[in-house]
């Protein structure tokens, strides 16, 4: 059985640019749990086998962008076998959540059925993260689903629900998960900029500090300094802008490359 990894286009047409994944690749889900069916009764064995078949069909529907049928088959997977192999369990929750997410239409406000799709997506993403944490020690291939789930939740709270606290929480969690990637800090800074209100919620200093973090990661990279300068210039802080441009120049002068 194969479950496709989410690629950069998963929700790209709706502005969800946080997810950084390997395009066009798949994860092979090896259902070793079937080997141990000898301890089950006949009905349990039959239900487990039907569950695995539903899981395979769900993945095929998802790959074909038939998300309603994918959801139905992911539901059937868990109905027939509520406690399957962890690799099946984690990916079922993630891709069922993703299917609901892809069916959600941000433009349809005050629509209970549409809102329910986003609520279902959030619930499954959260569950996928929780289960990935529980089982990633035994199955290393499940660890990335923490990242995938957090990226989608961060984007939902930022772009769809206008929820600063949860958006900040998940972008910070992504930094904790992946602290050496500069884009994580820029994404958090973007949250601070979006929700910045000089009177009600001043967040500009947090955005600037987030932009400075990649400098610590790559102190010899002039581009990291220029990014800080660009942000300061955007808000009219010209003296500081010139200071950071000078730092970029000095780094460039000392860089033999």
């Amino acid at each position: 059985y194969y479950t496709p990894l989410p690629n950069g286009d998963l929700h790209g047409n709706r502005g969800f640019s946080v997810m950084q994944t390997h395009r066009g690749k798949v994860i092979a889900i090896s259902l070793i749990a079937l080997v141990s069916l000898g301890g089950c009764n006949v009905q349990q064995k039959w239900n487990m086998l039907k569950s695995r078949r539903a899981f395979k069909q769900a993945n095929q529907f998802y790959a074909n962008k038939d998300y309603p049928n994918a959801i139905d088959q992911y539901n059937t997977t868990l109905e027939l076998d509520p406690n399957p192999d962890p690799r099946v369990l984690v990916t079922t929750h993630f891709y069922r959540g993703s299917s609901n997410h892809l069916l959600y239409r941000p433009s349809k406000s005050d629509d209970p059925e549409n809102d329910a799709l986003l609520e279902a997506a959030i619930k499954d993403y959260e569950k996928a993260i929780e289960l990935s944490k529980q089982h990633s020690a035994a199955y290393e291939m499940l660890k990335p689903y923490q990242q995938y789930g957090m990226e989608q939740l961060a984007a939902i709270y930022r772009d769809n629900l206008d929820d600063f606290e949860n958006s900040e929480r998940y972008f910070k969690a992504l930094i904790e998960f992946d602290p050496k990637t500069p884009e994580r800090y820029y994404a958090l800074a973007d949250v601070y900029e979006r929700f910045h209100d000089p009177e009600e919620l001043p967040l500009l200093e947090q955005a600037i500090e987030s932009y400075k973090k990649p400098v610590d990661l790559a102190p010899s990279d002039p581009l990291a300094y220029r990014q800080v300068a660009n942000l300061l210039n955007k808000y009219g802080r010209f003296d500081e802008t010139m200071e950071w441009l000078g730092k970029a120049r000095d780094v460039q002068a000392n860089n033999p490359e």
Side-chain angles (χ1 to χ4, degrees):
Y1 298 94
Y2 292 85
T3 300
L5 270 174
N7 60 45
D9 294 330
L10 182 60
H11 301 295
N13 61 341
R14 299 178 198 162
F16 295 109
S17 59
V18 256
M19 180 170 276
Q20 303 295 324
T21 60
H22 302 289
R23 184 180 300 273
K25 293 186 179 180
V26 295
I27 290 179
I29 304 295
S30 175
L31 301 179
I32 300 173
L34 290 175
V35 177
S36 62
L37 294 183
C40 305
N41 61 40
V42 173
Q43 186 60 52
Q44 287 176 319
K45 290 179 183 179
W46 181 237
N47 285 345
M48 287 182 178
L49 288 168
K50 289 195 296 183
S51 173
R52 302 306 185 265
R53 182 172 182 271
F55 177 70
K56 181 179 180 180
Q57 291 176 330
N59 293 335
Q60 292 171 340
F61 282 128
Y62 183 94
N64 292 331
K65 300 183 179 181
D66 185 349
Y67 302 118
N69 277 320
I71 292 169
D72 286 343
Q73 290 303 310
Y74 284 129
N75 287 340
T76 300
T77 298
L78 297 182
E79 288 167 2
L80 290 168
D81 186 5
N83 190 32
D85 181 286
R87 291 161 290 187
V88 174
L89 186 61
V90 172
T91 52
T92 293
H93 278 288
F94 181 84
Y95 287 102
R96 185 174 65 179
S98 177
S99 297
N100 279 293
H101 195 180
L102 284 159
L103 290 171
Y104 172 73
R105 294 292 177 264
S107 59
K108 294 176 65 175
S109 59
D110 298 323
D111 183 332
E113 290 187 6
N114 190 53
D115 292 342
L117 293 171
L118 195 62
E119 292 171 5
I122 291 172
K123 184 177 179 181
D124 267 329
Y125 287 145
E126 289 175 339
K127 191 64 175 179
I129 294 169
E130 175 190 337
L131 291 168
S132 174
K133 290 178 179 178
Q134 289 179 13
H135 297 291
S136 59
Y139 303 101
E140 187 176 354
M141 60 173 288
L142 294 179
K143 187 175 181 180
Y145 284 91
Q146 296 174 45
Q147 171 189 329
Y148 304 150
M150 289 188 293
E151 285 174 337
Q152 295 309 303
L153 288 170
I156 287 172
Y157 284 117
R158 181 192 64 193
D159 299 334
N160 300 119
L161 298 180
D162 200 30
D163 183 333
F164 167 68
E165 290 186 0
N166 278 312
S167 180
E168 180 190 38
R169 176 165 68 96
Y170 278 108
F171 278 108
K172 282 186 172 180
L174 282 163
I175 288 174
E176 184 177 349
F177 184 85
D178 182 21
K180 294 184 179 181
T181 299
E183 287 75 17
R184 300 291 183 201
Y185 299 93
Y186 296 137
L188 177 60
D190 176 67
V191 170
Y192 290 134
E193 281 198 87
R194 288 186 186 215
F195 289 93
H196 170 65
D197 183 313
E199 301 296 330
E200 300 293 333
L201 191 62
L203 295 169
L204 181 56
E205 295 306 317
Q206 287 94 318
I208 293 170
E209 289 304 310
S210 294
Y211 262 78
K212 291 179 181 178
K213 293 295 185 181
V215 174
D216 297 332
L217 295 175
S220 62
D221 181 3
L223 180 60
Y225 295 87
R226 292 194 195 104
Q227 293 278 41
V228 180
N230 290 338
L231 181 65
L232 291 165
N233 184 62
K234 179 179 177 180
Y235 290 95
R237 294 168 62 159
F238 302 120
D239 289 343
E240 292 170 272
T241 298
M242 296 307 298
E243 177 187 349
W244 280 88
L245 286 174
K247 291 179 179 181
R249 179 197 61 222
D250 294 342
V251 169
Q252 185 69 45
N254 295 327
N255 189 344
E257 298 181 2

